[in-house]
Amino acid sequence: GGSLASAQYTIPQAHTSGASAPPATCVTGYSNTITITIAAQTGAGSDQANFITYFAGDTHLKSTGNGGYAAQNPPLDVVFCTSEGVGGTILPYEYVPSTYSATTGAGEWHVLTPNVSHTTTTAIYAFVGNASGTDHSSAATLWSNYLGVWHFGTSAILALTDSTGNNTATNHSAAAVAGEINGGSVYSSGSSWIDVGGTENPPTPAS
């Protein structure tokens, strides 16, 4: 048993600093870094551990042909780390397919942030700009404590892939529509639905 989760995460007052060439880091071969600043989560009352952060992209993530730093499309050369310098580690993250715009840098990424402070800002770092960079995303690790996660693609394409890998969804005449974050789904009363399947072996929540 358990509940299904959707990817509805926000970064209040999040912003990015200007991209700059990185020093020796947790990944090599990337031309630029972007600092992502998460506002203090004062309403939480305490720090939030293993917080899944939604990142909507930035103009620096436009393709190189559009004046940005992303050298690939889809942007496999965007990697998230705990630190800009030596000693940082790659954070588990997921890029949602088909959400990237090479002309604006917008997209949908979800990043496991180890700790988000409720008293001060928290920073994580995106590395971008590596034409030969490989995909470092790890959706199954990111969502390991969830029974199912469906992002529903974009307003034009209804995608039903479960990011946890636990379930196979079947569409019964539901249609794509704009959602809170990129795509959603719309149903005709009584005649359309999505069967999200199920798992007999739900993951054990982390302590």
PDB file of all heavy atoms in Angstrom, residues 64-106:
ATOM      1  N   THR A  64      24.026  26.686 -27.458  1.00  0.00           N
ATOM      2  CA  THR A  64      25.126  27.567 -27.862  1.00  0.00           C
ATOM      3  C   THR A  64      24.740  28.389 -29.089  1.00  0.00           C
ATOM      4  O   THR A  64      25.144  29.542 -29.224  1.00  0.00           O
ATOM      5  CB  THR A  64      26.385  26.755 -28.146  1.00  0.00           C
ATOM      6  OG1 THR A  64      26.072  25.706 -29.093  1.00  0.00           O
ATOM      7  CG2 THR A  64      26.934  26.121 -26.874  1.00  0.00           C
ATOM      8  N   GLY A  65      23.927  27.810 -29.960  1.00  0.00           N
ATOM      9  CA  GLY A  65      23.494  28.527 -31.151  1.00  0.00           C
ATOM     10  C   GLY A  65      22.529  29.654 -30.859  1.00  0.00           C
ATOM     11  O   GLY A  65      22.311  30.533 -31.707  1.00  0.00           O
ATOM     12  N   ASN A  66      21.966  29.654 -29.650  1.00  0.00           N
ATOM     13  CA  ASN A  66      21.027  30.701 -29.243  1.00  0.00           C
ATOM     14  C   ASN A  66      21.609  31.611 -28.169  1.00  0.00           C
ATOM     15  O   ASN A  66      20.871  32.332 -27.496  1.00  0.00           O
ATOM     16  CB  ASN A  66      19.732  30.067 -28.742  1.00  0.00           C
ATOM     17  CG  ASN A  66      18.884  29.503 -29.856  1.00  0.00           C
ATOM     18  OD1 ASN A  66      18.312  30.241 -30.655  1.00  0.00           O
ATOM     19  ND2 ASN A  66      18.817  28.174 -29.938  1.00  0.00           N
ATOM     20  N   GLY A  67      22.924  31.562 -28.014  1.00  0.00           N
ATOM     21  CA  GLY A  67      23.580  32.457 -27.071  1.00  0.00           C
ATOM     22  C   GLY A  67      23.727  31.914 -25.667  1.00  0.00           C
ATOM     23  O   GLY A  67      24.113  32.649 -24.751  1.00  0.00           O
ATOM     24  N   GLY A  68      23.438  30.623 -25.463  1.00  0.00           N
ATOM     25  CA  GLY A  68      23.588  30.011 -24.149  1.00  0.00           C
ATOM     26  C   GLY A  68      24.788  29.084 -24.094  1.00  0.00           C
ATOM     27  O   GLY A  68      25.701  29.176 -24.927  1.00  0.00           O
ATOM     28  N   TYR A  69      24.766  28.151 -23.129  1.00  0.00           N
ATOM     29  CA  TYR A  69      25.935  27.301 -22.900  1.00  0.00           C
ATOM     30  C   TYR A  69      25.672  25.813 -23.126  1.00  0.00           C
ATOM     31  O   TYR A  69      26.614  25.021 -23.126  1.00  0.00           O
ATOM     32  CB  TYR A  69      26.452  27.508 -21.475  1.00  0.00           C
ATOM     33  CG  TYR A  69      26.859  28.932 -21.188  1.00  0.00           C
ATOM     34  CD1 TYR A  69      26.032  29.776 -20.445  1.00  0.00           C
ATOM     35  CD2 TYR A  69      28.053  29.444 -21.684  1.00  0.00           C
ATOM     36  CE1 TYR A  69      26.396  31.089 -20.199  1.00  0.00           C
ATOM     37  CE2 TYR A  69      28.426  30.755 -21.437  1.00  0.00           C
ATOM     38  CZ  TYR A  69      27.585  31.578 -20.695  1.00  0.00           C
ATOM     39  OH  TYR A  69      27.942  32.882 -20.459  1.00  0.00           O
ATOM     40  N   ALA A  70      24.414  25.415 -23.314  1.00  0.00           N
ATOM     41  CA  ALA A  70      24.117  23.990 -23.524  1.00  0.00           C
ATOM     42  C   ALA A  70      24.607  23.561 -24.899  1.00  0.00           C
ATOM     43  O   ALA A  70      24.241  24.152 -25.912  1.00  0.00           O
ATOM     44  CB  ALA A  70      22.617  23.733 -23.381  1.00  0.00           C
ATOM     45  N   ALA A  71      25.423  22.526 -24.913  1.00  0.00           N
ATOM     46  CA  ALA A  71      26.023  22.070 -26.166  1.00  0.00           C
ATOM     47  C   ALA A  71      25.280  20.883 -26.758  1.00  0.00           C
ATOM     48  O   ALA A  71      25.646  20.407 -27.833  1.00  0.00           O
ATOM     49  CB  ALA A  71      27.488  21.701 -25.933  1.00  0.00           C
ATOM     50  N   GLN A  72      24.248  20.388 -26.071  1.00  0.00           N
ATOM     51  CA  GLN A  72      23.486  19.244 -26.560  1.00  0.00           C
ATOM     52  C   GLN A  72      21.989  19.540 -26.488  1.00  0.00           C
ATOM     53  O   GLN A  72      21.532  20.321 -25.666  1.00  0.00           O
ATOM     54  CB  GLN A  72      23.792  17.991 -25.729  1.00  0.00           C
ATOM     55  CG  GLN A  72      25.241  17.548 -25.752  1.00  0.00           C
ATOM     56  CD  GLN A  72      25.425  16.234 -25.010  1.00  0.00           C
ATOM     57  OE1 GLN A  72      24.653  15.297 -25.157  1.00  0.00           O
ATOM     58  NE2 GLN A  72      26.458  16.171 -24.196  1.00  0.00           N
ATOM     59  N   ASN A  73      21.241  18.888 -27.351  1.00  0.00           N
ATOM     60  CA  ASN A  73      19.777  18.981 -27.335  1.00  0.00           C
ATOM     61  C   ASN A  73      19.199  17.617 -27.708  1.00  0.00           C
ATOM     62  O   ASN A  73      19.367  17.175 -28.835  1.00  0.00           O
ATOM     63  CB  ASN A  73      19.291  20.038 -28.320  1.00  0.00           C
ATOM     64  CG  ASN A  73      17.798  20.308 -28.204  1.00  0.00           C
ATOM     65  OD1 ASN A  73      17.113  19.724 -27.385  1.00  0.00           O
ATOM     66  ND2 ASN A  73      17.292  21.192 -29.058  1.00  0.00           N
ATOM     67  N   PRO A  74      18.552  16.914 -26.729  1.00  0.00           N
ATOM     68  CA  PRO A  74      18.222  17.356 -25.376  1.00  0.00           C
ATOM     69  C   PRO A  74      19.473  17.602 -24.529  1.00  0.00           C
ATOM     70  O   PRO A  74      20.540  17.051 -24.835  1.00  0.00           O
ATOM     71  CB  PRO A  74      17.376  16.206 -24.808  1.00  0.00           C
ATOM     72  CG  PRO A  74      17.780  15.011 -25.602  1.00  0.00           C
ATOM     73  CD  PRO A  74      18.084  15.516 -26.975  1.00  0.00           C
ATOM     74  N   PRO A  75      19.337  18.401 -23.479  1.00  0.00           N
ATOM     75  CA  PRO A  75      20.511  18.899 -22.741  1.00  0.00           C
ATOM     76  C   PRO A  75      21.101  17.887 -21.774  1.00  0.00           C
ATOM     77  O   PRO A  75      21.005  18.022 -20.553  1.00  0.00           O
ATOM     78  CB  PRO A  75      19.949  20.110 -22.001  1.00  0.00           C
ATOM     79  CG  PRO A  75      18.532  19.722 -21.725  1.00  0.00           C
ATOM     80  CD  PRO A  75      18.074  18.957 -22.938  1.00  0.00           C
ATOM     81  N   LEU A  76      21.744  16.861 -22.320  1.00  0.00           N
ATOM     82  CA  LEU A  76      22.390  15.864 -21.459  1.00  0.00           C
ATOM     83  C   LEU A  76      23.608  16.446 -20.761  1.00  0.00           C
ATOM     84  O   LEU A  76      24.121  15.845 -19.813  1.00  0.00           O
ATOM     85  CB  LEU A  76      22.792  14.632 -22.281  1.00  0.00           C
ATOM     86  CG  LEU A  76      21.648  13.903 -22.993  1.00  0.00           C
ATOM     87  CD1 LEU A  76      22.190  12.684 -23.728  1.00  0.00           C
ATOM     88  CD2 LEU A  76      20.572  13.479 -21.997  1.00  0.00           C
ATOM     89  N   ASP A  77      24.099  17.581 -21.235  1.00  0.00           N
ATOM     90  CA  ASP A  77      25.277  18.202 -20.618  1.00  0.00           C
ATOM     91  C   ASP A  77      24.884  19.226 -19.562  1.00  0.00           C
ATOM     92  O   ASP A  77      25.529  20.267 -19.410  1.00  0.00           O
ATOM     93  CB  ASP A  77      26.178  18.832 -21.676  1.00  0.00           C
ATOM     94  CG  ASP A  77      25.489  19.929 -22.485  1.00  0.00           C
ATOM     95  OD1 ASP A  77      24.283  19.795 -22.742  1.00  0.00           O
ATOM     96  OD2 ASP A  77      26.160  20.905 -22.870  1.00  0.00           O
ATOM     97  N   VAL A  78      23.837  18.918 -18.794  1.00  0.00           N
ATOM     98  CA  VAL A  78      23.488  19.693 -17.601  1.00  0.00           C
ATOM     99  C   VAL A  78      23.548  18.734 -16.419  1.00  0.00           C
ATOM    100  O   VAL A  78      22.824  17.730 -16.390  1.00  0.00           O
ATOM    101  CB  VAL A  78      22.083  20.320 -17.705  1.00  0.00           C
ATOM    102  CG1 VAL A  78      21.735  21.054 -16.409  1.00  0.00           C
ATOM    103  CG2 VAL A  78      22.011  21.274 -18.887  1.00  0.00           C
ATOM    104  N   VAL A  79      24.445  19.005 -15.475  1.00  0.00           N
ATOM    105  CA  VAL A  79      24.679  18.126 -14.319  1.00  0.00           C
ATOM    106  C   VAL A  79      24.600  18.960 -13.052  1.00  0.00           C
ATOM    107  O   VAL A  79      25.096  20.096 -13.018  1.00  0.00           O
ATOM    108  CB  VAL A  79      26.064  17.444 -14.407  1.00  0.00           C
ATOM    109  CG1 VAL A  79      26.277  16.514 -13.228  1.00  0.00           C
ATOM    110  CG2 VAL A  79      26.210  16.689 -15.721  1.00  0.00           C
ATOM    111  N   PHE A  80      24.005  18.413 -12.009  1.00  0.00           N
ATOM    112  CA  PHE A  80      23.835  19.143 -10.751  1.00  0.00           C
ATOM    113  C   PHE A  80      24.763  18.583  -9.686  1.00  0.00           C
ATOM    114  O   PHE A  80      24.885  17.365  -9.518  1.00  0.00           O
ATOM    115  CB  PHE A  80      22.378  19.049 -10.288  1.00  0.00           C
ATOM    116  CG  PHE A  80      21.410  19.681 -11.245  1.00  0.00           C
ATOM    117  CD1 PHE A  80      20.881  18.950 -12.293  1.00  0.00           C
ATOM    118  CD2 PHE A  80      21.062  21.014 -11.115  1.00  0.00           C
ATOM    119  CE1 PHE A  80      20.001  19.530 -13.198  1.00  0.00           C
ATOM    120  CE2 PHE A  80      20.179  21.608 -12.014  1.00  0.00           C
ATOM    121  CZ  PHE A  80      19.646  20.859 -13.060  1.00  0.00           C
ATOM    122  N   CYS A  81      25.415  19.484  -8.940  1.00  0.00           N
ATOM    123  CA  CYS A  81      26.387  19.087  -7.929  1.00  0.00           C
ATOM    124  C   CYS A  81      26.170  19.845  -6.612  1.00  0.00           C
ATOM    125  O   CYS A  81      25.534  20.897  -6.582  1.00  0.00           O
ATOM    126  CB  CYS A  81      27.817  19.350  -8.421  1.00  0.00           C
ATOM    127  SG  CYS A  81      28.374  18.256  -9.748  1.00  0.00           S
ATOM    128  N   THR A  82      26.757  19.288  -5.556  1.00  0.00           N
ATOM    129  CA  THR A  82      26.637  19.911  -4.237  1.00  0.00           C
ATOM    130  C   THR A  82      27.532  21.123  -4.084  1.00  0.00           C
ATOM    131  O   THR A  82      27.278  21.985  -3.243  1.00  0.00           O
ATOM    132  CB  THR A  82      27.001  18.903  -3.134  1.00  0.00           C
ATOM    133  OG1 THR A  82      28.333  18.408  -3.384  1.00  0.00           O
ATOM    134  CG2 THR A  82      26.033  17.728  -3.105  1.00  0.00           C
ATOM    135  N   SER A  83      28.598  21.181  -4.867  1.00  0.00           N
ATOM    136  CA  SER A  83      29.584  22.242  -4.692  1.00  0.00           C
ATOM    137  C   SER A  83      30.142  22.653  -6.042  1.00  0.00           C
ATOM    138  O   SER A  83      30.192  21.852  -6.990  1.00  0.00           O
ATOM    139  CB  SER A  83      30.720  21.769  -3.778  1.00  0.00           C
ATOM    140  OG  SER A  83      31.787  22.707  -3.755  1.00  0.00           O
ATOM    141  N   GLU A  84      30.577  23.894  -6.124  1.00  0.00           N
ATOM    142  CA  GLU A  84      31.211  24.380  -7.347  1.00  0.00           C
ATOM    143  C   GLU A  84      32.673  23.961  -7.419  1.00  0.00           C
ATOM    144  O   GLU A  84      33.266  23.936  -8.499  1.00  0.00           O
ATOM    145  CB  GLU A  84      31.093  25.902  -7.406  1.00  0.00           C
ATOM    146  CG  GLU A  84      31.534  26.502  -8.725  1.00  0.00           C
ATOM    147  CD  GLU A  84      31.366  28.001  -8.762  1.00  0.00           C
ATOM    148  OE1 GLU A  84      31.402  28.618  -7.680  1.00  0.00           O
ATOM    149  OE2 GLU A  84      31.208  28.558  -9.846  1.00  0.00           O
ATOM    150  N   GLY A  85      33.253  23.630  -6.292  1.00  0.00           N
ATOM    151  CA  GLY A  85      34.683  23.354  -6.257  1.00  0.00           C
ATOM    152  C   GLY A  85      35.015  21.901  -6.007  1.00  0.00           C
ATOM    153  O   GLY A  85      34.189  21.001  -6.128  1.00  0.00           O
ATOM    154  N   VAL A  86      36.259  21.665  -5.621  1.00  0.00           N
ATOM    155  CA  VAL A  86      36.755  20.320  -5.343  1.00  0.00           C
ATOM    156  C   VAL A  86      35.984  19.718  -4.178  1.00  0.00           C
ATOM    157  O   VAL A  86      35.669  20.400  -3.204  1.00  0.00           O
ATOM    158  CB  VAL A  86      38.264  20.364  -5.023  1.00  0.00           C
ATOM    159  CG1 VAL A  86      38.767  18.989  -4.624  1.00  0.00           C
ATOM    160  CG2 VAL A  86      39.041  20.891  -6.221  1.00  0.00           C
ATOM    161  N   GLY A  87      35.652  18.455  -4.268  1.00  0.00           N
ATOM    162  CA  GLY A  87      34.963  17.773  -3.180  1.00  0.00           C
ATOM    163  C   GLY A  87      33.468  17.675  -3.357  1.00  0.00           C
ATOM    164  O   GLY A  87      32.784  16.998  -2.575  1.00  0.00           O
ATOM    165  N   GLY A  88      32.930  18.337  -4.368  1.00  0.00           N
ATOM    166  CA  GLY A  88      31.500  18.236  -4.617  1.00  0.00           C
ATOM    167  C   GLY A  88      31.126  16.887  -5.201  1.00  0.00           C
ATOM    168  O   GLY A  88      31.956  16.185  -5.777  1.00  0.00           O
ATOM    169  N   THR A  89      29.872  16.520  -5.035  1.00  0.00           N
ATOM    170  CA  THR A  89      29.384  15.260  -5.588  1.00  0.00           C
ATOM    171  C   THR A  89      28.178  15.528  -6.485  1.00  0.00           C
ATOM    172  O   THR A  89      27.454  16.515  -6.312  1.00  0.00           O
ATOM    173  CB  THR A  89      28.975  14.276  -4.477  1.00  0.00           C
ATOM    174  OG1 THR A  89      27.978  14.890  -3.648  1.00  0.00           O
ATOM    175  CG2 THR A  89      30.173  13.921  -3.609  1.00  0.00           C
ATOM    176  N   ILE A  90      27.967  14.640  -7.442  1.00  0.00           N
ATOM    177  CA  ILE A  90      26.820  14.765  -8.327  1.00  0.00           C
ATOM    178  C   ILE A  90      25.553  14.419  -7.558  1.00  0.00           C
ATOM    179  O   ILE A  90      25.481  13.405  -6.862  1.00  0.00           O
ATOM    180  CB  ILE A  90      26.971  13.836  -9.547  1.00  0.00           C
ATOM    181  CG1 ILE A  90      28.173  14.267 -10.393  1.00  0.00           C
ATOM    182  CG2 ILE A  90      25.698  13.837 -10.392  1.00  0.00           C
ATOM    183  CD1 ILE A  90      28.467  13.351 -11.560  1.00  0.00           C
ATOM    184  N   LEU A  91      24.544  15.273  -7.666  1.00  0.00           N
ATOM    185  CA  LEU A  91      23.271  15.053  -7.002  1.00  0.00           C
ATOM    186  C   LEU A  91      22.358  14.204  -7.883  1.00  0.00           C
ATOM    187  O   LEU A  91      22.351  14.361  -9.105  1.00  0.00           O
ATOM    188  CB  LEU A  91      22.582  16.392  -6.728  1.00  0.00           C
ATOM    189  CG  LEU A  91      23.276  17.312  -5.729  1.00  0.00           C
ATOM    190  CD1 LEU A  91      22.664  18.711  -5.784  1.00  0.00           C
ATOM    191  CD2 LEU A  91      23.172  16.746  -4.320  1.00  0.00           C
ATOM    192  N   PRO A  92      21.574  13.293  -7.289  1.00  0.00           N
ATOM    193  CA  PRO A  92      20.575  12.574  -8.086  1.00  0.00           C
ATOM    194  C   PRO A  92      19.590  13.582  -8.679  1.00  0.00           C
ATOM    195  O   PRO A  92      19.103  14.467  -7.985  1.00  0.00           O
ATOM    196  CB  PRO A  92      19.894  11.660  -7.060  1.00  0.00           C
ATOM    197  CG  PRO A  92      20.904  11.500  -5.961  1.00  0.00           C
ATOM    198  CD  PRO A  92      21.593  12.832  -5.885  1.00  0.00           C
ATOM    199  N   TYR A  93      19.311  13.447  -9.952  1.00  0.00           N
ATOM    200  CA  TYR A  93      18.392  14.379 -10.594  1.00  0.00           C
ATOM    201  C   TYR A  93      17.704  13.700 -11.777  1.00  0.00           C
ATOM    202  O   TYR A  93      18.122  12.635 -12.240  1.00  0.00           O
ATOM    203  CB  TYR A  93      19.113  15.647 -11.061  1.00  0.00           C
ATOM    204  CG  TYR A  93      20.068  15.440 -12.222  1.00  0.00           C
ATOM    205  CD1 TYR A  93      19.655  15.633 -13.544  1.00  0.00           C
ATOM    206  CD2 TYR A  93      21.383  15.050 -12.010  1.00  0.00           C
ATOM    207  CE1 TYR A  93      20.522  15.435 -14.608  1.00  0.00           C
ATOM    208  CE2 TYR A  93      22.259  14.850 -13.061  1.00  0.00           C
ATOM    209  CZ  TYR A  93      21.832  15.048 -14.355  1.00  0.00           C
ATOM    210  OH  TYR A  93      22.691  14.838 -15.403  1.00  0.00           O
ATOM    211  N   GLU A  94      16.648  14.332 -12.249  1.00  0.00           N
ATOM    212  CA  GLU A  94      15.936  13.851 -13.423  1.00  0.00           C
ATOM    213  C   GLU A  94      15.635  15.015 -14.354  1.00  0.00           C
ATOM    214  O   GLU A  94      15.167  16.066 -13.911  1.00  0.00           O
ATOM    215  CB  GLU A  94      14.615  13.186 -13.025  1.00  0.00           C
ATOM    216  CG  GLU A  94      13.789  12.718 -14.229  1.00  0.00           C
ATOM    217  CD  GLU A  94      12.401  12.223 -13.878  1.00  0.00           C
ATOM    218  OE1 GLU A  94      11.910  12.571 -12.772  1.00  0.00           O
ATOM    219  OE2 GLU A  94      11.804  11.511 -14.690  1.00  0.00           O
ATOM    220  N   TYR A  95      15.904  14.826 -15.629  1.00  0.00           N
ATOM    221  CA  TYR A  95      15.434  15.740 -16.665  1.00  0.00           C
ATOM    222  C   TYR A  95      14.203  15.111 -17.289  1.00  0.00           C
ATOM    223  O   TYR A  95      14.221  13.942 -17.689  1.00  0.00           O
ATOM    224  CB  TYR A  95      16.506  15.967 -17.733  1.00  0.00           C
ATOM    225  CG  TYR A  95      15.940  16.502 -19.038  1.00  0.00           C
ATOM    226  CD1 TYR A  95      15.387  17.770 -19.100  1.00  0.00           C
ATOM    227  CD2 TYR A  95      15.920  15.706 -20.185  1.00  0.00           C
ATOM    228  CE1 TYR A  95      14.836  18.250 -20.283  1.00  0.00           C
ATOM    229  CE2 TYR A  95      15.374  16.182 -21.369  1.00  0.00           C
ATOM    230  CZ  TYR A  95      14.835  17.443 -21.416  1.00  0.00           C
ATOM    231  OH  TYR A  95      14.280  17.904 -22.575  1.00  0.00           O
ATOM    232  N   VAL A  96      13.106  15.852 -17.364  1.00  0.00           N
ATOM    233  CA  VAL A  96      11.867  15.334 -17.942  1.00  0.00           C
ATOM    234  C   VAL A  96      11.913  15.520 -19.449  1.00  0.00           C
ATOM    235  O   VAL A  96      11.998  16.659 -19.933  1.00  0.00           O
ATOM    236  CB  VAL A  96      10.637  16.042 -17.343  1.00  0.00           C
ATOM    237  CG1 VAL A  96       9.355  15.496 -17.962  1.00  0.00           C
ATOM    238  CG2 VAL A  96      10.622  15.853 -15.827  1.00  0.00           C
ATOM    239  N   PRO A  97      11.888  14.439 -20.227  1.00  0.00           N
ATOM    240  CA  PRO A  97      12.045  14.531 -21.682  1.00  0.00           C
ATOM    241  C   PRO A  97      11.018  15.444 -22.335  1.00  0.00           C
ATOM    242  O   PRO A  97       9.884  15.594 -21.866  1.00  0.00           O
ATOM    243  CB  PRO A  97      11.850  13.080 -22.144  1.00  0.00           C
ATOM    244  CG  PRO A  97      12.222  12.256 -20.951  1.00  0.00           C
ATOM    245  CD  PRO A  97      11.763  13.048 -19.764  1.00  0.00           C
ATOM    246  N   SER A  98      11.432  16.064 -23.432  1.00  0.00           N
ATOM    247  CA  SER A  98      10.596  16.898 -24.295  1.00  0.00           C
ATOM    248  C   SER A  98      10.225  18.244 -23.686  1.00  0.00           C
ATOM    249  O   SER A  98       9.450  18.997 -24.280  1.00  0.00           O
ATOM    250  CB  SER A  98       9.310  16.164 -24.705  1.00  0.00           C
ATOM    251  OG  SER A  98       9.608  14.946 -25.357  1.00  0.00           O
ATOM    252  N   THR A  99      10.772  18.584 -22.503  1.00  0.00           N
ATOM    253  CA  THR A  99      10.403  19.856 -21.867  1.00  0.00           C
ATOM    254  C   THR A  99      11.395  20.982 -22.158  1.00  0.00           C
ATOM    255  O   THR A  99      11.150  22.135 -21.794  1.00  0.00           O
ATOM    256  CB  THR A  99      10.289  19.694 -20.346  1.00  0.00           C
ATOM    257  OG1 THR A  99      11.558  19.270 -19.814  1.00  0.00           O
ATOM    258  CG2 THR A  99       9.225  18.649 -19.976  1.00  0.00           C
ATOM    259  N   TYR A 100      12.503  20.671 -22.812  1.00  0.00           N
ATOM    260  CA  TYR A 100      13.560  21.659 -22.998  1.00  0.00           C
ATOM    261  C   TYR A 100      13.314  22.544 -24.215  1.00  0.00           C
ATOM    262  O   TYR A 100      12.910  22.076 -25.278  1.00  0.00           O
ATOM    263  CB  TYR A 100      14.897  20.942 -23.162  1.00  0.00           C
ATOM    264  CG  TYR A 100      16.068  21.831 -23.491  1.00  0.00           C
ATOM    265  CD1 TYR A 100      16.531  22.776 -22.591  1.00  0.00           C
ATOM    266  CD2 TYR A 100      16.715  21.734 -24.731  1.00  0.00           C
ATOM    267  CE1 TYR A 100      17.607  23.595 -22.888  1.00  0.00           C
ATOM    268  CE2 TYR A 100      17.799  22.533 -25.038  1.00  0.00           C
ATOM    269  CZ  TYR A 100      18.241  23.471 -24.115  1.00  0.00           C
ATOM    270  OH  TYR A 100      19.308  24.273 -24.424  1.00  0.00           O
ATOM    271  N   SER A 101      13.570  23.833 -24.053  1.00  0.00           N
ATOM    272  CA  SER A 101      13.539  24.795 -25.160  1.00  0.00           C
ATOM    273  C   SER A 101      14.942  25.335 -25.381  1.00  0.00           C
ATOM    274  O   SER A 101      15.491  26.014 -24.500  1.00  0.00           O
ATOM    275  CB  SER A 101      12.588  25.953 -24.858  1.00  0.00           C
ATOM    276  OG  SER A 101      12.737  26.989 -25.820  1.00  0.00           O
ATOM    277  N   ALA A 102      15.513  25.038 -26.522  1.00  0.00           N
ATOM    278  CA  ALA A 102      16.862  25.520 -26.827  1.00  0.00           C
ATOM    279  C   ALA A 102      16.905  27.021 -27.005  1.00  0.00           C
ATOM    280  O   ALA A 102      17.955  27.646 -26.830  1.00  0.00           O
ATOM    281  CB  ALA A 102      17.377  24.829 -28.090  1.00  0.00           C
ATOM    282  N   THR A 103      15.785  27.629 -27.328  1.00  0.00           N
ATOM    283  CA  THR A 103      15.765  29.075 -27.569  1.00  0.00           C
ATOM    284  C   THR A 103      15.581  29.893 -26.292  1.00  0.00           C
ATOM    285  O   THR A 103      15.954  31.062 -26.245  1.00  0.00           O
ATOM    286  CB  THR A 103      14.641  29.451 -28.558  1.00  0.00           C
ATOM    287  OG1 THR A 103      13.381  28.998 -28.039  1.00  0.00           O
ATOM    288  CG2 THR A 103      14.894  28.806 -29.911  1.00  0.00           C
ATOM    289  N   THR A 104      15.011  29.286 -25.236  1.00  0.00           N
ATOM    290  CA  THR A 104      14.796  30.023 -23.984  1.00  0.00           C
ATOM    291  C   THR A 104      15.600  29.469 -22.813  1.00  0.00           C
ATOM    292  O   THR A 104      15.806  30.165 -21.816  1.00  0.00           O
ATOM    293  CB  THR A 104      13.307  30.009 -23.587  1.00  0.00           C
ATOM    294  OG1 THR A 104      12.925  28.656 -23.246  1.00  0.00           O
ATOM    295  CG2 THR A 104      12.439  30.513 -24.720  1.00  0.00           C
ATOM    296  N   GLY A 105      16.025  28.201 -22.895  1.00  0.00           N
ATOM    297  CA  GLY A 105      16.708  27.563 -21.770  1.00  0.00           C
ATOM    298  C   GLY A 105      15.769  26.974 -20.749  1.00  0.00           C
ATOM    299  O   GLY A 105      16.203  26.415 -19.738  1.00  0.00           O
ATOM    300  N   ALA A 106      14.462  27.097 -20.976  1.00  0.00           N
ATOM    301  CA  ALA A 106      13.483  26.533 -20.044  1.00  0.00           C
ATOM    302  C   ALA A 106      13.449  25.015 -20.171  1.00  0.00           C
ATOM    303  O   ALA A 106      13.744  24.451 -21.228  1.00  0.00           O
ATOM    304  CB  ALA A 106      12.099  27.111 -20.330  1.00  0.00           C
TER     305      ALA A 106
END
